[in-house]
């Protein structure tokens, strides 16, 4: 009876202070830390009329990259891969509720309004019917930067927001399902049936390549602005198709390329000119290898690497179900790695779970002779990329003052340590899949609550490893647009994570 009386007092205090929370999904860290703050959980029940059916997919919004459906929220947490030895929050919760006190308190607040809602799916609740005091961990219409299509499209508008070049941090990307992007990708020249491959390719092929590069440089310098639209291209569609065939024969089929000594210096000169205006020159290589990714899949599924144009177009134009097959090439994706067996030839110093903390990665940079790369190139580059992605998406994401969201950005680093943004994920998994994420994910969740709950009462409170990296004044748009042009503070975690 004493425990029941204390539970009732605790519930009454929580209701008065509006400390009722609701969680959908397996988040023991969030649940434990909220309880420590005096919050009481209202169990999420799906038949009370608070849930909604999955949103109807709007074709136009999906194409524009501002759909509510993002890649990762379609997936449930991978609870089967939660090594208990890495995490003790579940044990702590069980110990904390040995006598069923929290279960009793949950029943006491079953008719109360939750003021903090954490869900894995944004369609569980309709934000339009939430009061201004109710906080939820999602924004609507975030697909403009949490889908590959949205990120690809919106970053093309970066020049309208900032004097920056998206090609300097976001790898060249095309939507092969859109006709205009497909034409831009293949140069509006459909490949023809392969001819019988020759044993050698003549020096004229080099001259054609040099002229094509020169024409590209002229286009980038807008030298062609006064060019007659009816003027023929240097290479006709038929000649360009033949040029592509010769390229594949040299690069992929072992044909011998014959060239003149006088062509070598011309090639070096044109490459230097290209390198000065093409930020991705060094990362593109010479074998035409592309990563082909389905537009709305997560965790490395459906990804293939391809190097032949006709094969890529065949895949895109075929049955979309072909894109659903697994492929183990997204090697920095932990959900893929956990199913693979490590090679016996791997370096002995690499961890068995294929993941380093940022501290370990920085130590590696020190050993490489680049002690300042982390603080002067990598971190500033990652911050800038995230800021630019959100700048270009701010007019499509639905602004709601009592909302917040935790995103996960994936980067890959070049040999010059320059970070390249691969994608930004909504609802990143908080599963402690490795020794690194067991510590990191718990810290991220704890710091998130510091930012969204503690800081509301005390702006000088400790926010852990989160820092404010950008702040834009809130302005109101003209009434006709209906979209406030605002950007919420962006936070990064310099404490570290996987070096992938």
């Amino acid at each position: 009876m004493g425990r029941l009386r204390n539970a009732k007092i605790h519930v009454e205090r929580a209701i008065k202070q509006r400390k009722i929370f609701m969680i959908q999904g397996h988040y023991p860290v969030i649940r434990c830390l909220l309880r420590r703050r005096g919050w009481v959980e209202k169990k999420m029940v799906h038949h009370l009329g608070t849930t909604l059916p999955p949103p109807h997919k709007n074709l136009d919004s999906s194409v524009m990259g501002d759909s509510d459906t993002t890649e990762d929220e379609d997936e449930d947490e991978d609870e089967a891969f939660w090594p208990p030895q890495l995490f003790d929050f579940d044990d702590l919760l069980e110990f904390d509720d040995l006598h069923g006190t929290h279960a009793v308190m949950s029943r006491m607040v079953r008719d109360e309004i939750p003021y903090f809602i954490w869900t894995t799916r944004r369609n569980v609740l309709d934000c339009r019917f939430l009061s201004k005091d109710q906080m939820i961990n999602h924004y609507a219409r975030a697909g403009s930067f949490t889908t590959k299509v949205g990120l690809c499209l919106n970053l093309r508008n970066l020049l309208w927001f900032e004097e920056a070049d998206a090609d300097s941090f976001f790898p060249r990307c095309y939507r092969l399902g859109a006709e205009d992007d497909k034409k831009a990708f293949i140069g509006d020249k459909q490949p023809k049936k392969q001819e019988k491959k020759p044993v050698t390719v003549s020096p004229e092929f080099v001259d054609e390549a040099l002229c094509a590069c020169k024409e590209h440089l002229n286009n980038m310098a807008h030298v062609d602005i006064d060019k007659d639209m009816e003027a023929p291209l240097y290479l006709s569609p038929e000649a360009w198709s033949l040029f592509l065939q010769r390229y594949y024969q040299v690069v992929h089929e072992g044909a011998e390329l014959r060239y003149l000594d006088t062509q070598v210096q011309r090639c070096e000169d044109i490459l230097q000119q290209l390198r000065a205006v093409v930020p991705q020159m060094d990362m593109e290589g010479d074998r035409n290898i592309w990563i082909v990714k389905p537009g709305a899949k997560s965790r490395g599924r459906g990804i293939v690497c391809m190097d032949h144009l006709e094969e890529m177009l065949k895949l895109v134009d075929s049955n979309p179900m072909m894109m659903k097959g697994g492929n183990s090439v997204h090697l920095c994706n932990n959900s893929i790695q956990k199913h693979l067996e490590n090679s016996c030839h791997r370096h002995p110093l690499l961890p068995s779970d294929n993941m380093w903390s940022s501290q370990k990665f920085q130590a590696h940079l020190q050993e490489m002779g680049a002690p300042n790369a982390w603080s002067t190139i990598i971190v500033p580059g990652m911050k800038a990329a995230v800021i630019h992605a959100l700048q270009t998406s701010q007019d499509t994401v639905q602004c709601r003052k009592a909302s917040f969201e935790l995103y996960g950005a994936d980067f890959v680093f070049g040999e010059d340590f320059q970070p390249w943004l691969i994608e930004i994920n909504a609802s990143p998994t908080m599963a402690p899949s490795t020794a690194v994420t067991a510590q990191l994910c718990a810290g991220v969740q704890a710091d998130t609550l510091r930012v969204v709950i503690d800081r509301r009462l005390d702006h000088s409170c400790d926010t852990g490893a989160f820092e404010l990296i950008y702040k834009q004044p809130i302005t109101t748009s003209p009434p006709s647009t209906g979209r406030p042009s605002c950007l919420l503070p962006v936070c990064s975690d310099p404490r570290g994570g996987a070096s992938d």
Side-chain angles (χ1 to χ4, degrees):
M1 292 301 295
R3 287 196 299 271
L4 183 61
R5 182 171 58 254
N6 291 336
K8 185 176 181 181
I9 294 174
H10 187 83
V11 166
E12 291 174 349
R13 185 187 303 115
I15 293 174
K16 184 177 180 180
Q17 297 176 351
R18 298 185 175 182
K19 288 187 174 182
I20 309 299
F21 73 94
M22 189 163 61
I23 292 181
Q24 182 246 337
H26 190 74
Y27 290 94
V29 178
I30 299 295
R31 184 173 282 108
C32 182
L33 294 177
L34 285 175
R35 287 180 180 178
R36 289 181 177 179
R37 285 171 167 82
W39 289 69
V40 175
E41 180 176 9
K42 174 183 178 178
K43 296 293 185 181
M44 180 171 283
V45 181
H46 293 277
H47 63 270
L48 293 180
T50 58
T51 60
L52 295 173
H56 176 71
K57 292 189 178 181
N58 184 295
L59 179 60
D60 293 334
S61 62
S62 297
V63 170
M64 294 305 295
D66 59 0
S67 170
D68 254 352
T69 304
T70 57
E71 297 164 16
D72 285 310
E73 67 176 289
D74 291 333
E75 313 305 325
D76 292 322
E77 288 285 337
D78 192 359
E79 297 182 15
F81 195 68
W82 285 52
Q85 70 273 15
L86 297 179
F87 222 47
D88 60 358
F89 275 91
D90 282 316
D91 295 337
L92 184 59
L93 285 172
E94 185 177 347
F95 176 79
D96 191 37
D97 200 28
L98 284 176
H99 302 289
T101 303
H102 288 286
V104 171
M105 290 193 295
S106 292
R107 289 195 291 271
M108 291 180 180
V109 298
R110 61 184 178 272
D111 296 325
E112 299 295 328
I113 297 175
Y115 290 95
F116 182 93
I117 304 168
W118 186 291
T119 76
T120 57
R121 300 170 185 264
R122 68 185 67 242
N123 61 349
V124 170
L125 295 169
D126 192 333
C127 294
R128 295 174 299 176
F129 300 108
L130 296 178
S131 69
K132 63 179 182 180
D133 295 328
Q134 289 181 281
M135 186 183 302
I136 189 168
N137 69 320
H138 287 296
Y139 287 105
R141 300 175 63 87
S144 53
F145 66 92
T146 59
T147 62
K148 300 174 184 70
V149 171
L151 198 60
C152 171
L153 289 178
N154 282 281
L155 281 177
R156 297 176 183 176
N157 301 321
L158 179 58
L159 287 175
W160 294 101
F161 297 89
E162 194 81 34
E163 292 185 3
D165 184 4
D167 284 342
S168 65
F169 64 87
F170 184 66
R172 193 146 51 95
C173 181
Y174 297 90
R175 298 173 302 149
L176 296 187
E179 195 61 31
D180 55 343
D181 264 29
K182 184 193 290 187
K183 288 183 178 180
F185 177 67
I186 65 178
D188 205 14
K189 313 292 192 301
Q190 289 287 350
K192 292 186 176 181
K193 185 177 180 180
Q194 286 278 12
E195 298 178 353
K196 185 178 180 180
K197 67 178 182 180
V199 178
T200 62
V201 175
S202 68
E204 284 74 17
F205 172 76
V206 179
D207 287 332
E208 292 175 347
L210 288 168
C211 289
C213 291
K214 187 64 176 178
E215 189 172 45
H216 180 62
L217 283 169
N218 289 339
N219 292 340
M220 296 191 69
H222 305 295
V223 176
D224 62 330
I225 195 169
D226 296 323
K227 183 178 179 181
D228 186 357
M229 296 296 294
E230 301 300 325
L233 296 172
Y234 173 76
L235 291 177
S236 66
E238 293 75 16
W240 180 255
S241 180
L242 182 60
F243 175 83
L244 289 179
Q245 292 177 22
R246 297 291 183 261
Y247 165 80
Y248 285 123
Q249 288 164 352
V250 172
V251 174
H252 298 294
E253 299 172 8
E256 178 188 358
L257 173 61
R258 291 183 176 177
Y259 57 89
L260 304 176
D261 292 340
T262 56
Q263 292 175 325
V264 175
Q265 187 60 49
R266 292 173 58 198
C267 289
E268 292 180 354
D269 292 342
I270 204 76
L271 286 173
Q272 289 300 324
Q273 295 177 50
L274 285 169
R275 187 170 284 108
V277 294
V278 180
Q280 302 184 20
M281 182 75 179
D282 290 329
M283 68 180 288
E284 290 187 349
D286 58 6
R287 301 192 65 83
N288 195 42
I289 298 177
W290 291 82
I291 301 175
V292 184
K293 312 175 78 171
K297 283 292 182 182
S298 62
R299 300 182 182 179
R301 296 170 306 162
I303 296 174
V304 291
C305 287
M306 308 185 78
D307 58 12
H308 279 72
L309 176 60
E310 54 270 27
E311 293 178 3
M312 282 185 267
L313 296 179
K314 181 180 179 181
L315 176 65
V316 173
D317 294 335
S318 65
N319 190 330
M321 292 299 292
M322 288 184 62
M323 300 296 288
K324 291 191 175 182
N327 186 284
S328 303
V329 298
H330 197 180
L331 296 182
C332 62
N333 191 316
N334 186 70
S335 64
I336 295 295
Q337 289 178 346
K338 69 187 182 186
H339 298 298
L340 303 179
E341 183 178 350
N342 289 330
S343 169
C344 60
H345 303 294
R346 61 190 274 110
H347 195 284
L349 295 182
L350 289 175
S352 59
D353 52 17
N354 303 309
M355 188 176 290
W356 273 348
S357 66
S358 67
Q359 291 86 352
K360 179 66 176 177
F361 181 53
Q362 291 176 61
H364 176 67
L365 293 175
Q366 182 85 25
E367 296 172 358
M368 290 177 60
N372 298 321
W374 177 260
S375 60
T376 62
I377 302 176
I378 295 177
V379 172
M382 289 193 295
K383 289 180 180 179
V386 170
I387 291 172
H388 293 330
L390 295 186
Q391 282 178 312
T392 58
S393 306
Q394 60 184 315
D395 289 332
T396 57
V397 178
Q398 186 179 81
C399 181
R400 183 178 181 273
K401 190 173 183 180
S403 289
F404 69 96
E405 191 151 11
L406 186 64
Y407 302 101
D410 292 346
F411 289 91
V412 64
F413 305 111
E415 292 181 349
D416 59 355
F417 310 113
Q418 176 68 34
W420 294 89
L421 176 63
I422 303 301
E423 61 186 357
I424 299 178
N425 299 311
S427 299
T429 177
M430 291 289 106
S433 52
T434 69
V436 172
T437 56
Q439 179 180 359
L440 178 66
C441 292
V444 167
Q445 293 173 83
D447 292 349
T448 298
L449 294 184
R450 289 190 177 106
V451 172
V452 302
I453 291 182
D454 300 348
R455 196 173 181 275
R456 297 183 82 184
L457 302 176
D458 180 12
H459 279 201
S460 63
C461 76
D462 176 26
T463 57
F466 278 103
E467 61 172 301
L468 180 65
I469 63 173
Y470 187 83
K471 188 171 184 179
Q472 176 175 298
I474 297 179
T475 59
T476 56
S477 299
S480 59
T481 65
R483 285 182 178 178
S485 177
C486 68
L487 179 66
L488 295 179
V490 182
C491 294
S492 66
D493 185 3
R495 176 172 51 193
S499 62
D500 57 354

